[in-house]
Amino acid sequence: MARKELTRLTGNGNGNGTCGEDDCPNVYRTAAGSIVVQGDVSDAFTPPQGEGLVEIPESVLREAVRALGW
């Protein structure tokens, strides 16, 4: 899946103000309605094979919730 196929919910210049073009924590929504998170790789624990952990600031998650109208 390409990034251009996702709806970017955060980091559009009207949220936390810390993002460049593509290089910061962000939350995206897929056409199927699932969520994709971009963030710093975390080593908080070892996830199951095929999964990964990322860490994002609380402000990014709040921005995504606002964008979804939740």
Side-chain angles (χ1 to χ4, degrees):
M1 172 180 322
R3 186 188 314 234
K4 65 183 178 183
E5 298 174 46
L6 304 173
T7 300
R8 190 171 176 166
L9 301 175
T10 59
N12 293 322
N14 47 353
N16 59 23
T18 61
C19 296
E21 187 66 25
D22 296 319
D23 63 345
C24 60
N26 278 298
V27 178
Y28 301 87
R29 190 172 202 180
T30 68
S34 61
I35 303 295
V36 175
V37 178
Q38 173 189 352
D40 295 326
V41 175
S42 174
D43 60 359
F45 64 90
T46 302
Q49 185 174 4
E51 296 182 6
L53 302 175
V54 298
E55 186 174 341
I56 61 170
E58 180 180 325
S59 61
V60 173
L61 184 56
R62 287 182 182 274
E63 185 180 350
V65 168
R66 281 193 301 275
L68 290 167
W70 291 353

